[in-house]
Amino acid sequence: MNKKKKLYLIGDIIGVVAAFLIFIIPFLFMLTNSLKERREANLLNLSLPEVFCWENFIEVFQANNYQLVTAFKNSILLVIGSVILLIITGSMCGYIIQRRNDRTTKAVNALIMTGLMVPATILPTIWVLQRLHLYKTMTGMIFIEVALNLPFTIMLYRGFMNSIPLELEEAGYIDGCSRWKLYTTIIFPLLKPVTSTVIVIKAVTVFNDFTNPLYFLPGAENATVQLTLYNFMGQYESSYNLLFADVILITIPMLILFIFFNKRIVDGMVAGAVKG
């Protein structure tokens, strides 16, 4: 084995060990503590439970009149609505910004990209939502998620658009396609790889969002899965066994989604760079 291969092997080993320490150990820590009784879980160690308490997961579901079930319903509605709007608006904006090269488009692109750096301000946003009668509503929360995630989505679509040759559009125009028909029948079907990337990344982002629903969608009936973590945390005492059981339950759906679609994520993000 030559020196270069040895270095690659050492790098692979270091990467696997680092991934194990960063991702696997914390997951095992949460899993083991979710199966302990309250006293033992509050010690916060990685040891196996003395008695496996599977009923912790049932108790989490039953807490606060099955609030976790309501939270899953709210989170799923929020994810579906946000991702659909992100795909529609992001793909259209990315297409126009990539294909046009005038000053107005460049200015709009610069304005959109600043959204990657400038955070949302809470009080003015609440004021606007109240004036629009969208505060504490699912519709308003969907618009917030779309606005915050749109710049990155546009960037992905714009990068991928480089891989689509202009000759396809020219052929469509020659065949009599309108701009709308050209986009819906030729361009958008070619965006499947990056659309898959957007679906997975933004579904995970919106599903795991804690801060925005806390400020813009308050109320027990509007709780999302991340806000159910408050159920098991108190000022004077906490039920860490139930807290970790809740974390495991709300982690599994997005973990499964990521495992099955991780290859599509990579393909969609690098396709534009490789082919362009």
Side-chain angles (χ1 to χ4, degrees):
M1 183 180 295
N2 59 39
K3 186 176 179 180
K4 190 174 183 180
K5 289 184 177 180
K6 287 182 179 179
L7 290 176
Y8 282 142
L9 179 60
I10 293 173
D12 291 340
I13 294 174
I14 293 174
V16 171
V17 172
F20 184 82
L21 293 175
I22 295 173
F23 299 107
I24 305 301
I25 294 297
F27 183 80
L28 292 176
F29 174 79
M30 292 187 297
L31 182 61
T32 54
N33 282 285
S34 68
L35 295 173
K36 297 177 180 178
E37 61 176 1
R38 178 178 175 180
R39 175 189 58 80
E40 189 181 1
N42 286 351
L43 298 176
L44 297 177
N45 55 50
L46 196 55
S47 62
L48 292 175
E50 297 176 1
V51 179
F52 286 86
C53 300
W54 297 99
E55 60 272 14
N56 288 343
F57 294 95
I58 299 177
E59 187 172 349
V60 166
F61 265 108
Q62 294 176 342
N64 290 347
N65 195 24
Y66 294 92
Q67 187 183 47
L68 185 60
V69 177
T70 302
F72 264 109
K73 182 195 71 174
N74 292 335
S75 291
I76 290 173
L77 288 175
L78 180 60
V79 167
I80 292 175
S82 301
V83 169
I84 290 175
L85 281 179
L86 282 170
I87 291 172
I88 295 173
T89 56
S91 61
M92 290 182 176
C93 290
Y95 173 60
I96 295 299
I97 291 174
Q98 175 59 35
R99 291 304 193 233
R100 295 183 61 177
N101 196 29
D102 52 47
R103 291 183 178 180
T104 303
T105 305
K106 291 180 179 178
V108 171
N109 181 56
L111 181 63
I112 291 174
M113 290 302 106
T114 56
L116 293 171
M117 301 174 286
V118 180
T121 51
I122 297 172
L123 292 180
T125 304
I126 292 177
W127 182 84
V128 171
L129 290 175
Q130 288 175 335
R131 292 300 180 273
L132 295 174
H133 304 288
L134 294 175
Y135 186 55
K136 298 183 181 181
T137 66
M138 183 59 66
T139 302
M141 191 65 244
I142 289 174
F143 287 157
I144 292 293
E145 295 290 357
V146 171
L148 294 176
N149 290 285
L150 189 58
F152 184 74
T153 304
I154 293 175
M155 185 180 68
L156 286 178
Y157 275 110
R158 183 190 175 190
F160 188 84
M161 210 69 67
N162 283 323
S163 63
I164 301 177
L166 285 170
E167 289 76 11
L168 287 176
E169 298 178 44
E170 293 172 356
Y173 285 129
I174 292 174
D175 290 339
C177 287
S178 63
R179 185 178 294 272
W180 174 251
K181 187 176 181 181
L182 177 72
Y183 172 78
T184 55
T185 61
I186 297 177
I187 301 299
F188 188 74
L190 296 175
L191 300 177
K192 287 182 180 179
V194 70
T195 299
S196 300
T197 301
V198 170
I199 289 174
V200 178
I201 291 180
K202 292 311 171 184
V204 173
T205 301
V206 174
F207 189 85
N208 290 335
D209 192 2
F210 177 85
T211 306
N212 292 315
L214 178 65
Y215 292 128
F216 305 125
L217 195 65
E221 71 281 0
N222 296 325
T224 59
V225 290
Q226 302 301 326
L227 297 182
T228 60
L229 300 176
Y230 271 135
N231 292 342
F232 314 108
M233 298 293 292
Q235 183 178 0
Y236 302 105
E237 58 183 18
S238 300
S239 301
Y240 284 106
N241 57 335
L242 301 181
L243 175 65
F244 289 127
D246 192 10
V247 172
I248 293 295
L249 288 173
I250 66 180
T251 299
I252 288 175
M254 292 299 107
L255 181 62
I256 294 174
L257 182 69
F258 186 83
I259 289 174
F260 279 99
F261 291 96
N262 68 87
K263 187 177 183 298
R264 289 183 177 271
I265 295 175
V266 176
D267 291 343
M269 294 189 72
V270 304
V274 172
K275 297 179 182 180

